[in-house]
Amino acid sequence: MSCGRPVGGMFEKFRQRVASGEPAGKVLDDLGMKSYCCRALFMTHIDTLEKIAKFRI
Ligand SMILES: [Zn+2]
């Protein structure tokens, strides 16, 4: 279940700010992500692209 809001464009900003030590909840508030569906996407996402990109189809 999701609101369908496109949020992918904000992930890199979220990742960088959290990596620099800011609390995830505060960053999500600043990005305007107030609904729990969007917040859950970012808080639970595990970035596997670099791990799987080395395998060819
Ligand atoms: Zn949402």
Side-chain angles (χ1 to χ4, degrees), residues 10-57:
M10 290 186 269
F11 185 69
E12 190 58 25
K13 197 174 288 181
F14 171 78
R15 194 188 62 76
Q16 287 175 354
R17 286 178 64 176
V18 170
S20 71
E22 284 190 66
K26 182 185 178 300
V27 178
L28 288 167
D29 288 343
D30 287 350
L31 292 173
M33 299 177 71
K34 303 206 183 297
S35 55
Y36 55 81
C37 54
C38 295
R39 295 171 82 91
L41 279 176
F42 277 20
M43 289 190 294
T44 60
H45 179 69
I46 298 170
D47 198 356
T48 56
L49 180 61
E50 286 187 18
K51 288 181 181 166
I52 63 170
K54 63 187 175 190
F55 298 106
R56 299 180 126 206
I57 297 173

